[in-house]
Amino acid sequence: MAEHDFRRTALNPSHTLIECRTVAPGLYQVTGQGGGIQPGDTLICTVKGSRDLPLPLVVGKVRYLINPAGQWTATAQGPNLNGQMVLGWSIHCDECKREQAFEFLAEEKDNLQQRTAKAVQRIGQLGWTPRGEEHLCPACSKAATSEQ
């Protein structure tokens, strides 16, 4: 099965996401242009209210529209975002002092410790490495690994 990237950061005019809306918890209706979407494919969209937080959706059914040509509508399964919110924090590298803003999902009822754990998980996905209470950016992490 193929993976199709429809995030806002992947500005590709032949691959356009027109609409992604929640039909029920964990069920989405997606309308797009191009890409040759098939059942079982994964669509990577952006979480509503986020700049770059990925929302992976698995396509269930696809219906290609006659007009306009190349446009399709699909139902897809994904995470239930009810009760979740997008938080934006920033992190700085303790080696080169580079700072990076990042976003992550947290439940509204999460306390600071739970939110911090989710933030650490997200920065790990972005390539940052924790070193005790400090953090290393992807470039410094790579340099530190190659020195060992």
Side-chain angles (χ1 to χ4, degrees):
M1 298 301 150
E3 186 174 281
H4 306 273
D5 195 342
F6 284 96
R7 288 177 285 191
R8 291 183 205 131
T9 56
L11 299 173
N12 183 350
S14 65
H15 235 73
T16 306
L17 182 68
I18 296 168
E19 178 185 40
C20 179
R21 65 184 183 101
T22 306
V23 178
L27 182 64
Y28 299 84
Q29 180 177 338
V30 184
T31 304
Q33 179 83 30
I37 307 301
Q38 299 295 318
D41 287 356
T42 300
L43 306 177
I44 308 295
C45 302
T46 304
V47 173
K48 185 176 181 176
S50 165
R51 285 177 291 134
D52 62 356
L53 200 55
L55 175 65
L57 303 174
V58 177
V59 176
K61 286 171 56 175
V62 180
R63 190 181 86 214
Y64 280 91
L65 306 176
I66 295 171
N67 198 7
Q71 192 168 343
W72 48 265
T73 185
T75 56
Q77 298 286 326
N80 180 1
L81 299 178
N82 286 346
Q84 300 223 12
M85 61 183 173
V86 175
L87 293 178
W89 287 5
S90 65
I91 186 169
H92 75 277
C93 179
D94 292 295
E95 194 76 26
C96 69
K97 306 302 181 211
R98 173 181 167 222
E99 189 166 332
Q100 179 178 343
F102 68 97
E103 298 172 322
F104 64 98
L105 283 174
E107 291 187 34
E108 293 172 355
K109 64 183 180 190
D110 285 348
N111 61 30
L112 182 59
Q113 184 178 1
Q114 292 167 316
R115 290 179 181 182
T116 302
K118 290 177 180 178
V120 169
Q121 179 183 7
R122 177 70 177 139
I123 62 172
Q125 294 170 349
L126 296 172
W128 287 71
T129 306
R131 186 174 65 180
E133 290 294 313
E134 299 179 341
H135 297 90
L136 297 178
C137 68
C140 293
S141 297
K142 190 175 183 180
T145 305
S146 63
E147 290 174 6
Q148 294 175 353

